[in-house]
Amino acid sequence: MTESTRRTGGHEYEHPQGNPAQPYAAPLAADVPPEWPPPPAHAPAVGGGRRRKRPSGPVTLLAAVALVAAAVGGGTAYAIQQLTGHDTTATDTATPVVAAGKRGDVANIAAALTPSVVEVNATLATGSSTGSGVIVSDDGEIVTNNHVVSGASSVKVRTSDGTSRTARVVGTDSSKDLALLRVEGASGLKAAPLGTSSGVQVGDTVVAIGSPEGLTSTVTSGIVSALARDVTVSTDEGRGSQGQDGDEQWPFQFGGREFNGDTGSSTTTYKAIQTDASLNPGNSGGALIDASGRVIGINSAMYSSGSQASSSSDAGSIGLGFAIPVDTVKADLAKLRAGSTS
């Protein structure tokens, strides 16, 4: 039985003659022979065990603190969801997705994060643009580069399982080369855990995931080769977008030189993470991931030795790529969600 019976505090006695019809009274103290031990002052606990005192003072306080901590740990994401109107997002936690014993294992990092990176295909007035994007909420929010979707009349994203979905541009920030997309009615998407870029060090192992040349879910690895590089990119709508044939690449300036074409008159500069992980046209907007499986940057620019050549077949990564720090991305999310189009 699942029910329990609550006692009222009285004591039950079995009739010595076993006659339930005849009431039986417990012997009075006067009738008890003197050699008998006196009855206990309080009724013994069921089962004969000693009655435990209820903890009080510091012990109770510690238990309450533990319960509160557990409630915060388990309920923060839900509370944020209710207050913000968004499902659980990657910014709610920076918990590593790769076990400590597998830290730095590229295969484990790739298996954990590949489902969180998509291919982005934008239709432009001048052609098309192919890039990548990182899922940041399980209800369909995707971060990518502004230059991938700038001037797009329509956008589609393709997940690692080959599913193609229509997305809309929610907000853009050309000054940081960031954009936020949303896949309507999405379900079953896996948000990437966003880490922090403030603790990144030169020499750290990193993994890049994206869709170079439309090759979805391509994984490369390397190290962080420099920090806080001043990278200047164009903010002109549609300038240098990555076409289907791969001839065009996103122009940027670094160290006083222009790469991949003319950046134009309207530019913006940001501090970037430099990496030697192989980046190629189509990696823009993809994830740069640390050894614990957390996103630390959004890949945004790469230098190709064939950028000035007439044929894209000569183009390729030479180990000089740049990513927007994830701390910049997280700080910009609220603005992008609000529909900013700056």
Side-chain angles (χ1 to χ4, degrees):
M1 296 177 63
T2 59
E3 296 180 355
S4 60
T5 302
R6 182 179 181 183
R7 297 187 180 273
T8 59
H11 303 289
E12 296 179 359
Y13 294 90
E14 182 180 357
H15 196 284
Q17 287 77 33
N19 184 2
Q22 177 67 33
Y24 176 71
L28 298 177
D31 299 328
V32 178
E35 64 272 15
W36 286 18
H42 299 284
V46 177
R50 179 174 294 178
R51 188 175 185 180
R52 296 180 180 179
K53 293 184 178 181
R54 184 176 181 180
S56 60
V59 176
T60 303
L61 178 60
L62 289 174
V65 171
L67 288 173
V68 170
V72 170
T76 300
Y78 177 77
I80 292 175
Q81 173 184 338
Q82 296 303 308
L83 291 172
T84 63
H86 291 286
D87 285 350
T88 305
T89 68
T91 57
D92 298 337
T93 177
T95 303
V97 297
V98 175
K102 298 293 184 179
R103 178 181 168 84
D105 187 299
V106 175
N108 278 273
I109 295 171
L113 272 296
T114 294
S116 301
V117 181
V118 302
E119 178 184 307
V120 178
N121 293 287
T123 301
L124 312 173
T126 56
S128 63
S129 174
T130 301
S132 306
V134 178
I135 300 172
V136 295
S137 75
D138 53 16
D139 64 345
E141 289 182 328
I142 298 170
V143 167
T144 186
N145 287 142
N146 176 64
H147 74 255
V148 172
V149 296
S150 179
S153 57
S154 65
V155 178
K156 287 187 177 296
V157 299
R158 183 169 58 164
T159 52
S160 59
D161 62 2
T163 303
S164 181
R165 295 177 169 91
T166 299
R168 64 180 177 88
V169 179
V170 176
T172 60
D173 187 346
S174 60
S175 67
K176 296 181 177 65
D177 196 17
L178 292 172
L180 183 68
L181 311 177
R182 174 179 283 280
V183 178
E184 298 297 346
S187 63
L189 297 182
K190 182 180 179 182
L194 303 187
T196 178
S197 48
S198 60
V200 174
Q201 297 181 338
V202 173
D204 283 352
T205 297
V206 288
V207 173
I209 303 179
S211 300
E213 305 293 355
L215 300 174
T216 306
S217 304
T218 294
V219 178
T220 59
S221 64
I223 63 168
V224 172
S225 53
L227 294 170
R229 293 297 201 195
D230 287 323
V231 174
T232 300
V233 298
S234 172
T235 58
D236 291 346
E237 189 172 284
R239 171 177 288 273
S241 46
Q242 299 164 354
Q244 288 180 326
D245 58 5
D247 285 340
E248 293 180 305
Q249 298 174 46
W250 186 243
F252 70 98
Q253 296 176 5
F254 170 69
R257 299 173 56 196
E258 288 189 343
F259 299 96
N260 305 343
D262 180 13
T263 56
S265 59
S266 179
T267 61
T268 184
T269 301
Y270 58 83
K271 300 288 186 181
I273 299 172
Q274 181 180 311
T275 178
D276 70 350
S278 180
L279 301 180
N280 290 284
N283 270 114
S284 290
L288 189 67
I289 306 158
D290 68 9
S292 296
R294 295 171 293 198
V295 176
I296 58 169
I298 299 296
N299 298 320
S300 57
M302 49 79 61
Y303 168 71
S304 171
S305 60
S307 60
Q308 303 300 327
S310 59
S311 173
S312 63
S313 61
D314 297 326
S317 173
I318 62 169
L320 187 60
F322 302 95
I324 302 167
V326 75
D327 289 352
T328 300
V329 177
K330 292 192 291 186
D332 211 31
L333 270 177
K335 177 181 177 181
L336 295 173
R337 282 172 172 157
S340 172
T341 56
S342 61

